[in-house]
Amino acid sequence: MIKLGVNIDHIATIRNARGEYHPDPYNAAKFAIKCGADSITIHLREDRRHIKDEDLKTISLNKKIPLNLEIAANNSMVKIALQNNPNFICIVPERRKEITTEGGLNLKKNKKKIKQIVSIFNKKKIRTSLFINPNIQNIKLSKEVNANCVELHTGKISNKVKLKKKYKNELKQIIKCTKYAKSLGIEVHAGHGMDYKTAKILSQISEIKEFNIGHFIIGESIFFGLKKVLKNFKKILN
Ligand code: PXP
């Protein structure tokens, strides 16, 4: 079974637009799990533009919610992660001015730091993935820093599919990376920019074990409801 992780950052974005309490990301997390999500992803950004520390606290305290916490590779985020003990960690690059996570980690440049962080989470038995652009060098480096998993950034292929442009080269590259990662014992996930069509295309790659999808799910739920949208994704993925 391919797993579906639901990113609920944009529930918090809507809540924050009014600076009040509704819609509550915690309720969204519980409801998404009830509707068949396999895990919930939240990104605690350094500028706290959507998910807040209190959201992380309440969601992580409910052990019925398998939680994947996305964090930047720095000591203060590692400290917060350890205090909240999520089931999974995904290390992502972060730039304050970006609208969203625009690319994967620069593993070559930050190898030492990321290796040190991965080792902390490995010792705590927290499954850790690295958000990377799909290329062979990144997979090699992920192995060298002892990551359990990689999450391949699917933004490029997703954009091409949406714009009805040729995407076969991106697809080939993703397939090559997933096969290589599997041969090294690294579990492969996919995330960013996916909609029904991209999820369907990428679900044909049997090596990809988990899809993390956010913006499209929340947007589409405005029209059809979260329950229906998650049901559609579960059907597409399996
Ligand atoms: N995976 C990671 C690591 C992300 O940072 C994000 C959000 O940028 C997603 C998945 C979900 O992307 P989207 O909201 O475009 O579906």
Side-chain angles (χ1 to χ4, degrees):
M1 288 284 276
I2 299 175
K3 291 194 169 144
L4 173 63
V6 177
N7 181 314
I8 59 162
D9 290 347
H10 295 304
I11 301 283
T13 305
I14 299 171
R15 183 230 10 228
N16 297 350
R18 280 293 165 96
E20 293 176 357
Y21 304 102
H22 187 269
D24 183 354
Y26 177 59
N27 287 336
K30 283 193 292 184
F31 187 65
I33 294 294
K34 200 171 143 197
C35 295
D38 296 292
S39 58
I40 296 299
T41 295
I42 54 175
H43 183 178
L44 188 72
R45 279 186 168 267
E46 287 175 325
D47 61 9
R48 307 298 196 268
R49 68 173 76 155
H50 37 58
I51 292 293
K52 312 277 185 203
D53 298 69
E54 196 56 30
D55 299 319
L56 166 61
K57 199 171 155 193
T58 38
I59 296 171
S60 63
L61 279 174
N62 184 338
K63 291 300 165 200
K64 288 189 189 141
I65 303 173
L67 179 63
N68 177 36
L69 176 64
E70 291 178 6
I71 53 164
N74 65 55
N75 293 347
S76 71
M77 281 297 158
V78 171
K79 193 172 162 207
I80 293 173
L82 291 172
Q83 281 162 353
N84 289 280
N85 197 28
N87 306 77
F88 318 121
I89 294 278
C90 181
I91 302 174
V92 299
E94 209 174 289
R95 282 184 290 127
R96 292 228 169 182
K97 290 212 171 96
E98 67 190 356
I99 294 172
T100 179
T101 316
E102 283 159 8
L105 290 163
N106 185 340
L107 285 182
K108 209 170 163 194
K109 189 170 160 211
N110 303 304
K111 189 174 170 189
K112 201 170 153 209
K113 182 76 195 158
I114 289 174
K115 189 170 184 178
Q116 181 205 358
I117 295 176
V118 169
S119 130
I120 294 172
F121 292 132
N122 280 351
K123 274 189 202 128
K124 294 276 174 193
K125 301 207 178 331
I126 300 176
R127 187 197 78 178
T128 304
S129 71
L130 304 179
F131 193 40
I132 56 170
N133 290 326
N135 68 54
I136 292 293
Q137 195 196 23
N138 280 336
I139 307 282
K140 271 190 194 143
L141 287 164
S142 299
K143 182 70 187 171
E144 284 169 23
V145 303
N146 303 316
N148 316 121
C149 312
V150 290
E151 181 165 325
L152 301 180
H153 195 301
T154 52
K156 204 167 169 188
I157 187 168
S158 296
N159 277 339
K160 293 217 159 166
V161 171
K162 277 178 218 162
L163 297 170
K164 297 191 170 44
K165 287 189 177 166
K166 290 191 183 118
Y167 62 84
K168 293 285 181 240
N169 285 344
E170 280 71 28
L171 187 61
K172 270 191 209 155
Q173 181 69 10
I174 290 174
I175 293 173
K176 203 165 99 184
C177 288
T178 55
K179 290 196 186 307
Y180 185 54
K182 194 181 173 193
S183 76
L184 297 178
I186 299 175
E187 185 174 299
V188 182
H189 306 158
H192 204 89
M194 279 184 278
D195 58 8
Y196 289 137
K197 211 168 164 189
T198 344
K200 185 164 185 175
I201 293 165
L202 292 168
S203 68
Q204 309 302 315
I205 307 173
S206 62
E207 286 84 4
I208 304 179
K209 299 295 176 202
E210 184 178 301
F211 284 65
N212 288 307
I213 307 174
H215 188 268
F216 181 82
I217 290 181
I218 306 307
E220 194 71 354
S221 297
I222 292 170
F223 304 105
F224 303 103
L226 192 55
K227 191 173 174 185
K228 175 77 180 146
V229 176
L230 294 188
K231 195 174 164 197
N232 291 343
F233 267 111
K234 293 288 282 186
K235 205 165 147 194
I236 286 170
L237 295 183
N238 291 289

